[in-house]
Amino acid sequence: MKQIETLVDDIYKLLGDGLPEDFPEEKINDFGRGLALLLVRRMDGGKDYKPGLRMSNIGTPCERKLWYGINQPEAKEEIPPWVRMKFLFGDILEHLLLFMADAAGHQVEGTQDEQEIEGVKGHRDSVIDGVIIDAKSASTYSFKKFADHKLDEDDPFGYVDQIQSYLHAGQSDPIVLDKDRAGFLVIDKTLGKICLDLHEKKTFPYEDLYRYKKAVVANPEVPDRSYDPEPEGKSGNKKLPMICSYCDFKHVCHEGLRTFLYAKGPVFLTKVVKEPDVPELVS
């Protein structure tokens, strides 16, 4: 049995050597069928999506965003087609990573097995060589955080709580041989680089976290904002911080939010003292 530490090198080697001669044709066919199903599911616009608390969103840093997503999903911004394409491309790459890990001779099992903590369910990506592994695709900027093991310092999407949840829930799972580590197998969507980011098990009462988040989303009152607007230059204008600019609920969270198209990209102003000398996006 191969060791998880050689996973990235073995995948890179596979790209030069090709598939092993004895690699089962059925696995190639299974990959193709899985890819086709993935495309069909992702292209339906999320019609079957049911809002709820899951292991994948339990670590969402902003409780207000989590509350809106479950209690007012209709307030979510419409996702443009090109963003849906970006998400689809990421999903395809993650599917490919697990296939290549298997083809490189590593043991891949437990894919999409259901996990549960305090009644909240989730589906882990895989167990590779006995280690719980979540496949991710990332921009070059985000990839660096995984490659440099900096996710504990900057985790705007709650990935650490997600992987720790899978590890916590998998302590009695016989295919999880390493009970003390879990990690991310990540591919850079632009450059094609791959890294493995392993994390030690945290001694943290995750049952308490889940009970708390369940109470947050069950409360009829909208939680307070987790992040305050920040100054935009010295004009007196206030803008959303970077993490809020990516939120699908920013317009319902900040009534009257205005979007200005700077050369550096869109800036979302919550307060306008001095009108910016750039175009404004009017919906």
Side-chain angles (χ1 to χ4, degrees):
M1 181 175 176
K2 290 197 173 185
Q3 300 298 308
I4 195 72
E5 285 78 10
T6 68
L7 179 57
V8 173
D9 287 340
D10 291 336
I11 291 176
Y12 282 157
K13 188 172 186 296
L14 180 72
L15 288 166
D17 295 348
L19 291 173
E21 291 184 3
D22 60 348
F23 191 71
E25 184 177 350
E26 182 59 30
K27 287 191 175 183
I28 300 175
N29 293 333
D30 286 344
F31 170 74
R33 284 190 291 268
L35 184 58
L37 289 172
L38 173 64
L39 289 171
V40 170
R41 287 199 305 269
R42 294 297 188 264
M43 291 174 70
D44 70 357
K47 295 183 180 69
D48 295 331
Y49 176 76
K50 296 180 179 179
L53 196 59
R54 297 177 174 83
M55 287 186 176
S56 58
N57 62 16
I58 199 74
T60 301
C62 179
E63 293 176 2
R64 176 174 276 211
K65 177 183 177 180
L66 184 64
W67 190 96
Y68 278 131
I70 293 173
N71 293 283
Q72 292 185 18
E74 70 281 358
K76 185 176 181 179
E77 295 176 13
E78 181 65 28
I79 300 176
W82 52 90
V83 176
R84 292 189 185 278
M85 179 61 77
K86 180 178 68 172
F87 291 159
L88 173 60
F89 180 51
D91 290 338
I92 292 171
L93 287 176
E94 292 163 14
H95 186 65
L96 178 63
L97 277 179
L98 296 182
F99 171 76
M100 296 189 74
D102 184 24
H106 291 259
Q107 186 170 1
V108 181
E109 53 189 332
T111 54
Q112 295 303 309
D113 281 355
E114 187 174 83
Q115 310 289 289
E116 184 175 338
I117 296 177
E118 291 294 315
V120 176
K121 297 179 180 180
H123 294 83
R124 69 182 175 210
D125 279 351
S126 66
V127 177
I128 302 180
D129 303 329
V131 182
I132 292 172
I133 296 294
D134 204 51
K136 298 287 187 192
S137 60
S139 66
T140 300
Y141 172 80
S142 295
F143 178 85
K144 193 174 188 303
K145 288 191 292 186
F146 291 99
D148 294 343
H149 195 67
K150 298 291 187 181
L151 204 59
D152 282 319
E153 301 171 16
D154 184 11
D155 185 20
F157 301 107
Y159 290 151
V160 171
D161 279 332
Q162 181 184 3
I163 199 69
Q164 289 288 340
S165 293
Y166 295 145
L167 182 54
H168 187 88
Q171 289 298 296
S172 60
D173 190 333
I175 70 171
V176 179
L177 304 180
D178 191 333
K179 311 292 186 182
D180 298 318
R181 294 185 303 169
F184 303 96
L185 180 63
V186 189
I187 184 167
D188 182 323
K189 288 184 287 189
T190 303
L191 302 177
K193 294 180 180 180
I194 302 171
C195 74
L196 179 67
D197 183 20
L198 294 173
H199 290 252
E200 298 293 327
K201 183 178 184 293
K202 290 186 176 183
T203 55
F204 183 81
Y206 270 89
E207 288 85 359
D208 290 349
L209 173 65
Y210 276 70
R211 284 192 287 266
Y212 171 73
K213 290 296 181 76
K214 285 169 69 175
V216 167
V217 298
N219 192 325
E221 297 295 324
V222 183
D224 293 335
R225 294 192 185 101
S226 298
Y227 305 94
D228 294 324
E230 57 189 34
E232 168 60 13
K234 299 179 179 180
S235 63
N237 294 346
K238 292 288 188 71
K239 67 178 180 179
L240 293 185
M242 183 63 69
I243 189 171
C244 296
S245 68
Y246 289 104
C247 179
D248 296 326
F249 298 96
K250 56 182 172 287
H251 286 280
V252 67
C253 183
H254 295 271
E255 190 174 350
L257 188 66
R258 297 173 66 182
T259 306
F260 290 89
L261 304 177
Y262 285 78
K264 61 185 177 183
V267 174
F268 304 95
L269 297 184
T270 61
K271 179 182 179 181
V272 177
V273 175
K274 181 180 180 182
E275 196 83 8
D277 189 22
V278 296
E280 180 176 4
L281 179 63
V282 180
S283 57

